[in-house]
Amino acid sequence: MKKIKPEYNEYTKELIEETVLDSYKRLIAPSIEREIRTSLTETAEEKSILVFSKKP
């Protein structure tokens, strides 16, 4: 992945900060949350199959 380090100046600093925050709130955070929920759901399903498949 290519890293970009923009030069901050009085004209671009605010716009770049707003863009990063917006991207995190709308795109990155929800994506991370979905990944975690999917992982937890898969683990819970696997564990429940083990629990309910055991004979008393």
Side-chain angles (χ1 to χ4, degrees), residues 19-37:
T19 302
V20 169
L21 288 173
D22 180 60
S23 297
Y24 179 79
K25 288 178 185 176
R26 289 187 317 107
L27 305 169
I28 298 169
S31 178
I32 292 170
E33 184 177 341
R34 276 192 304 276
E35 285 183 40
I36 292 170
R37 286 180 181 266

Side-chain angles (χ1 to χ4, degrees), residues 3-55:
K3 292 184 180 183
I4 299 172
K5 184 177 179 184
E7 294 296 322
Y8 288 100
N9 64 49
E10 63 183 283
Y11 304 108
T12 61
K13 182 179 179 190
E14 185 178 346
L15 180 61
I16 291 172
E17 288 175 353
E18 288 176 6
T19 302
V20 169
L21 288 173
D22 180 60
S23 297
Y24 179 79
K25 288 178 185 176
R26 289 187 317 107
L27 305 169
I28 298 169
S31 178
I32 292 170
E33 184 177 341
R34 276 192 304 276
E35 285 183 40
I36 292 170
R37 286 180 181 266
T38 298
S39 176
L40 291 172
T41 300
E42 289 173 356
T43 301
E45 288 173 351
E46 291 168 3
K47 300 286 183 179
S48 66
I49 289 170
L50 290 174
V51 167
F52 291 108
S53 66
K54 291 182 181 178
K55 294 182 181 181

